[in-house]
Amino acid sequence: MKQPMTEPEKNLLYSHREKNFMEVVDEGHYRSLYFQGDVVQSRICLKDPGRLILRYTQYMMAAALLASTRPSQVLLIGIGAGSLLQFFTRFLPSCHIDAVDYSENIIRVARGFFLLPENDFIRIHCNDGLHYLKNLCQERLFDLILVDAFTDTGMARTVYSSEFFKTARSRLTPGGVVCSNLWSGNPTVYKSVHKAMTKHFSGSILIPVRKRENRIALLFQESVPWKAICPSPQVLEALTKTYVLDFAEVSAAARKHNMKLGERMQHLFR
């Protein structure tokens, strides 16, 4: 999230003003959802909607699949234009996904303009992420919880809260993982969110997204499984061929920004 517009001439397909301002714009082969006129929320390639375009979504899914190789039960908090759901439809079509977004307008736009996939494996819910997790899916456990819930002002407060992450931990299968997109122009807000999420998990890492202000957080019930996050070059190459994501780049960023130098050297020559 949070990538400025680059093309001055845009074909405006849709705009809506309620509490915030949304625009749907066609830019060449891409269709984008903007908040407040210059902040891109989501983007898809119209000819290949299953391919992730925004770098933070690429990092997010690569990190999630390193930590949770073959998830079968997934919860997605924050739908946006549905690019992550398009990815699952193409690459993990048998995965069962509950996708939650608080905004009826966002869901309507995703359905009307972004080919939002809905089928026997993908269920869409209009609700607050915390409320849904606490009250509406109490019998469900998830292998992977993806968090990408933003308003026009930043990270959604009820979702990026200590209560949410405490509840999320209780909804994970053994070995389950939370993968969250973080962004804030306010360092105080960022630190508060980071403290809230790590309070309830034994292991966590932050992966900065190259040339972006986003960071991807991976949260584990136990210690960080570094063998999974940093597998052999052969495994990384195979994952890249399968999912068309740069797993080597994401794995290297995880190691560089979360391991001390001695740990990195030890891991490199293990």
Side-chain angles (χ1 to χ4, degrees):
M1 189 180 174
K2 302 292 182 183
Q3 176 179 314
M5 284 187 182
T6 56
E7 298 184 16
E9 294 184 1
K10 307 181 299 296
N11 175 25
L12 181 65
L13 300 179
Y14 170 89
S15 65
H16 175 81
R17 183 181 292 278
E18 194 172 77
K19 292 183 179 179
N20 55 22
F21 182 58
M22 292 185 293
E23 292 180 330
V24 177
V25 176
D26 272 359
E27 302 163 287
H29 297 298
Y30 303 110
R31 179 164 293 172
S32 304
L33 174 64
Y34 285 95
F35 281 175
Q36 297 292 359
D38 63 350
V39 178
V40 61
Q41 168 70 16
S42 295
R43 178 171 290 153
I44 66 169
C45 176
L46 293 169
K47 293 185 177 181
D48 188 7
R51 179 166 64 93
L52 294 175
I53 304 302
L54 297 183
R55 187 173 292 133
Y56 92 84
T57 61
Q58 297 169 0
Y59 268 60
M60 192 172 183
M61 280 311 312
L65 292 173
L66 284 169
S68 180
T69 307
R70 297 292 298 183
S72 62
Q73 300 291 331
V74 174
L75 175 63
L76 171 62
I77 305 295
I79 293 173
S83 59
L84 294 179
L85 292 176
Q86 294 284 4
F87 177 90
F88 276 101
T89 298
R90 175 175 171 180
F91 293 102
L92 294 162
S94 62
C95 190
H96 292 268
I97 305 170
D98 284 272
V100 183
D101 201 290
Y102 82 102
S103 172
E104 292 181 0
N105 292 324
I106 289 288
I107 294 173
R108 181 168 61 249
V109 167
R111 284 172 170 157
F113 294 93
F114 290 92
L115 313 173
L116 183 68
E118 296 180 74
N119 51 49
D120 292 339
F121 295 94
I122 297 176
R123 293 178 290 186
I124 306 298
H125 310 273
C126 184
N127 216 298
D128 173 76
L130 175 59
H131 182 268
Y132 178 83
L133 199 57
K134 288 190 68 174
N135 301 295
L136 302 180
C137 65
Q138 295 181 352
E139 304 302 319
R140 296 287 307 281
L141 294 178
F142 301 96
D143 305 310
L144 175 63
I145 297 178
L146 293 164
V147 184
D148 187 25
F150 283 74
T151 69
D152 58 317
T153 59
M155 293 179 281
R157 291 185 179 182
T158 59
V159 173
Y160 288 86
S161 66
S162 178
E163 186 178 9
F164 175 87
F165 289 105
K166 178 181 178 180
T167 308
R169 193 186 194 287
S170 71
R171 296 289 186 272
L172 291 173
T173 58
V177 179
V178 174
C179 180
S180 179
N181 173 37
L182 305 183
W183 183 93
S184 179
N186 185 327
T188 301
V189 172
Y190 175 82
K191 290 178 181 178
S192 176
V193 170
H194 183 247
K195 181 178 179 180
M197 63 170 46
T198 56
K199 177 180 178 181
H200 305 290
F201 290 84
S202 298
S204 66
I205 60 175
L206 285 176
I207 307 173
V209 178
R210 181 171 59 88
K211 295 183 179 180
R212 293 290 177 265
E213 296 179 7
N214 304 72
R215 294 185 183 184
I216 306 303
L218 287 177
L219 306 174
F220 304 95
Q221 300 167 75
E222 305 297 337
S223 59
V224 177
W226 281 112
K227 288 185 178 180
I229 303 301
C230 299
S232 69
Q234 292 78 16
V235 170
L236 292 171
E237 183 179 358
L239 287 169
T240 294
K241 288 181 178 179
T242 300
Y243 296 109
V244 197
L245 297 170
D246 195 337
F247 283 85
E249 179 177 304
V250 174
S251 178
R255 184 172 60 249
K256 176 181 178 181
H257 294 280
N258 294 274
M259 281 184 173
K260 296 179 181 179
L261 178 59
E263 293 174 325
R264 296 205 303 268
M265 296 300 294
Q266 184 180 6
H267 181 84
L268 184 63
F269 294 105
R270 76 187 190 277

